[in-house]
Amino acid sequence: SVPELGMLTDQGTGGRAIVVRLSDQRAFLYKRGELVAISPASTGREGYNTPTGKHRVKSKDIDHRSSLYGAYVLNGRVVKAGVDVRKDRKPPGAVFVGAPMPYYLQIAPSYGLHAGHVPGYPASHGCIRLPNRWAKRFYYAVKVGTPVWVSH
């Protein structure tokens, strides 16, 4: 399914829109209905689906860190990596350090586009990862309120 043309020419956001196609793991940046950038992407792996449908950029955070996924650190050393704070108990004295998610564009609670590892297949916990240079380009191209359409 393709977003309606009106969404791609939304004047309230400088005429910009983002389209993410899960089927081919790519993100598309539009300006006034014209395609201006295509980025490889890595979306939610099995069990961690990326939410489909029409969204908007709810917030932007250049140095965002995950509040759910990361590592437990004690005295500056990682004592447990690959942590999910909802499942993994914190060792005594350790602190949680969220995984870095640079150039974060939030589209739903706990979901967004950000710079990260893009192996060429769905590998995230539901976010839409882009290579760093593309995440930066998308980040600076859009505003809070920009439409984001995620489809299969």
Side-chain angles (χ1 to χ4, degrees):
S1 62
V2 175
E4 63 276 12
L5 188 59
M7 186 179 154
L8 297 180
T9 58
D10 187 330
Q11 294 308 305
T13 58
R16 301 220 173 34
I18 295 171
V19 175
V20 178
R21 278 210 315 256
L22 303 177
S23 60
D24 59 0
Q25 295 292 287
R26 293 199 294 177
F28 304 84
L29 179 63
Y30 289 87
K31 183 176 181 181
R32 291 183 191 73
E34 185 180 328
L35 182 60
V36 293
I38 302 172
S39 172
S42 181
T43 59
R45 66 180 186 256
E46 194 173 332
Y48 294 95
N49 292 338
T50 300
T52 57
K54 183 176 177 177
H55 306 281
R56 288 193 180 270
V57 174
K58 296 185 180 338
S59 67
K60 294 175 63 170
D61 183 356
I62 200 162
D63 289 319
H64 189 74
R65 285 189 172 268
S66 176
S67 57
L68 299 176
Y69 306 105
Y72 289 131
V73 176
L74 182 62
N75 300 326
R77 272 196 20 226
V78 172
V79 291
K80 185 165 186 165
V83 165
D84 177 337
V85 294
R86 297 164 300 184
K87 299 175 186 166
D88 299 302
R89 288 187 39 185
K90 185 168 66 165
V95 294
F96 173 74
V97 177
M101 303 163 97
Y103 304 109
Y104 187 73
L105 300 171
Q106 183 188 27
I107 61 167
S110 301
Y111 295 97
L113 292 89
H114 63 83
H117 180 58
V118 180
Y121 52 85
S124 80
H125 287 109
C127 278
I128 299 150
R129 298 186 201 150
L130 307 176
N132 195 71
R133 65 185 280 255
W134 290 109
K136 185 175 181 180
R137 169 124 189 239
F138 278 56
Y139 183 89
Y140 286 113
V142 304
K143 304 176 199 168
V144 170
T146 295
V148 179
W149 182 270
V150 180
S151 66
H152 290 287

